Amino acid sequence: STAMVDLRPFVWMVSPSSSVIPEAVEAFGERLRAGWAHHGAGPSTALATLAKVSQALTQACSGLELRERRVLPPACAMPAVFPSAGVGMICCAPSQVLEHVLSVYACRGVLPERDTCLICSESTTPEQLAGLVSRWQHADPSRREHVYGVAATHHLSFAAQKQLSAAIHAGDSSREMSPLLLVSGAVDRQQIVAQFN
């Protein structure tokens, strides 16, 4: 029974401001109970139970003011310059790739997410690259804090770098775009560096 459980820590995870309001915590508990009564009935597999829990939690969180995923921007030492729109290229030592990526996101006051940042490896697929470029090209440019990133491009084959470059150039150049960060841990024999540096 949720009546015996202190729900404040659960509410705090999604809405710190709501977790200190007893009425908001109580309403969360009521929506959770109602959601589970509606979605959780009947026998099911583990996967179906997980889906029911997700639906009940979605219903329970519907009345909360959700936490924004923002970070406080530090004084930005790395990188020195990054464009506010369009494509920016950073070349650095391989050991510094992640530092540069995190620095750019931190300076924007946001965290990198799976849909906005791709850290490349030798097993990165053309579909993954095309997916990220497509999300960047169709992103709402008014949300300028959003940064899209393709990092460690030096791990990509020449063919993959050529495909990435072609996909980036295929975008609508007349449209204002959110920033796209490209970070390479190498300069020599890098097709993507030659295109955008």
Side-chain angles (χ1 to χ4, degrees):
S1 168
T2 54
M4 298 176 65
V5 176
D6 182 2
L7 293 175
R8 286 176 297 177
F10 296 101
V11 174
W12 181 86
M13 285 192 292
V14 293
S15 178
S17 60
S18 299
S19 69
V20 296
I21 304 169
E23 295 82 12
V25 175
E26 185 177 332
F28 172 84
E30 290 170 6
R31 287 190 303 272
L32 182 60
R33 276 192 294 279
W36 184 251
H38 178 74
H39 299 291
S44 63
T45 64
L47 187 58
T49 300
L50 185 60
K52 291 175 184 180
V53 168
S54 173
Q55 291 166 338
L57 284 172
T58 299
Q59 182 174 331
C61 291
S62 65
L64 299 176
E65 180 182 329
L66 299 181
R67 174 199 311 239
E68 289 187 39
R69 295 186 61 168
R70 299 187 64 78
V71 294
L72 295 175
C76 298
M78 296 170 52
V81 178
F82 185 72
S84 60
V87 181
M89 181 86 218
I90 296 173
C91 297
C92 60
S95 62
Q96 293 180 326
V97 167
L98 290 179
E99 291 176 42
H100 281 282
V101 170
L102 293 174
S103 178
V104 167
Y105 279 90
C107 289
R108 293 293 176 127
V110 294
L111 297 171
E113 296 185 5
R114 185 182 59 164
D115 289 345
T116 61
C117 186
L118 177 63
I119 308 296
C120 299
S121 68
E122 289 83 2
S123 61
T124 299
T125 65
E127 292 79 17
Q128 290 173 305
L129 294 166
L132 187 125
V133 171
S134 177
R135 287 190 294 277
W136 166 67
Q137 289 170 338
H138 296 96
D140 180 358
S142 66
R143 300 189 66 184
R144 300 301 290 279
E145 75 274 7
H146 280 205
V147 176
Y148 290 80
V150 183
T153 58
H154 59 282
H155 287 303
L156 300 174
S157 67
F158 180 83
Q161 289 187 32
K162 191 172 178 181
Q163 289 174 334
L164 174 60
S165 177
I168 292 169
H169 286 302
D172 182 359
S173 59
S174 65
R175 177 175 181 268
E176 191 172 348
M177 307 281 255
S178 295
L180 174 66
L181 168 68
L182 303 172
V183 183
S184 177
V187 175
D188 295 337
R189 299 186 306 278
Q190 296 295 307
Q191 201 272 345
I192 202 81
V193 172
Q195 287 290 312
F196 295 103
N197 198 11

